[in-house]
Amino acid sequence: QVQLVESGGGLVQAGGSLRLSCAASGRTFSSYAMGWFRQAPGKEREFVASISSSDGVIYYADFVKGRFTISRDNAKNTVYLQMNSLKPDDTAVYYCARGRTGRSTKASTNFNSWGQGTQVTVSS
């Protein structure tokens, strides 16, 4: 069973930046797509971004396009989410997830391993 550990969350002012990291255990990281989701208080978990295992296919939610960048380093078993121009509406717990296959996807049902989450709070 893979373990995913997120880090990099925190409190930031609107307009600021944060870089989230997600470190995965095991030796098969490069075979799977990775994704980021978020859940704000009182709301359902929603898709943020995903990246395929090796062919560079990336998807973003419309609300983060141009502000967030997902990337991965297969040598370090780590996926990143660079978040710029943060807004108070970006406040949420951010979760890293591993896909069931190597294909990038937006559906949470296509991810079968989840981290514990990291809190991101954006103040106005």
Side-chain angles (χ1 to χ4, degrees):
Q1 181 76 6
V2 66
Q3 288 187 325
L4 303 174
V5 180
E6 302 98 334
S7 60
L11 173 64
V12 64
Q13 289 187 332
S17 298
L18 284 174
R19 188 194 195 201
L20 305 184
S21 299
C22 172
S25 64
R27 292 176 287 181
T28 60
F29 176 81
S30 62
S31 299
Y32 297 95
M34 298 297 295
W36 288 96
F37 291 77
R38 71 185 188 184
Q39 187 168 18
K43 296 186 177 181
E44 294 187 353
R45 187 174 299 186
E46 63 182 353
F47 169 78
V48 176
S50 65
I51 184 168
S52 63
S53 60
S54 59
D55 61 2
V57 175
I58 290 174
Y59 295 120
Y60 293 105
D62 287 343
F63 56 77
V64 303
K65 283 182 179 177
R67 299 189 298 126
F68 293 8
T69 302
I70 188 172
S71 61
R72 66 188 296 161
D73 185 337
N74 287 339
K76 295 182 178 180
N77 280 16
T78 302
V79 62
Y80 305 97
L81 185 68
Q82 177 67 44
M83 306 187 295
N84 299 327
S85 302
L86 283 162
K87 306 173 182 180
D89 285 349
D90 294 319
T91 295
V93 177
Y94 284 71
Y95 297 91
C96 167
R98 192 186 78 170
R100 297 180 185 273
T101 72
R103 297 184 63 181
S104 188
T105 176
K106 297 181 180 181
S108 62
T109 53
N110 290 331
F111 294 83
N112 59 359
S113 295
W114 296 82
Q116 293 299 306
T118 185
Q119 176 71 47
V120 171
T121 303
V122 184
S123 64
S124 58

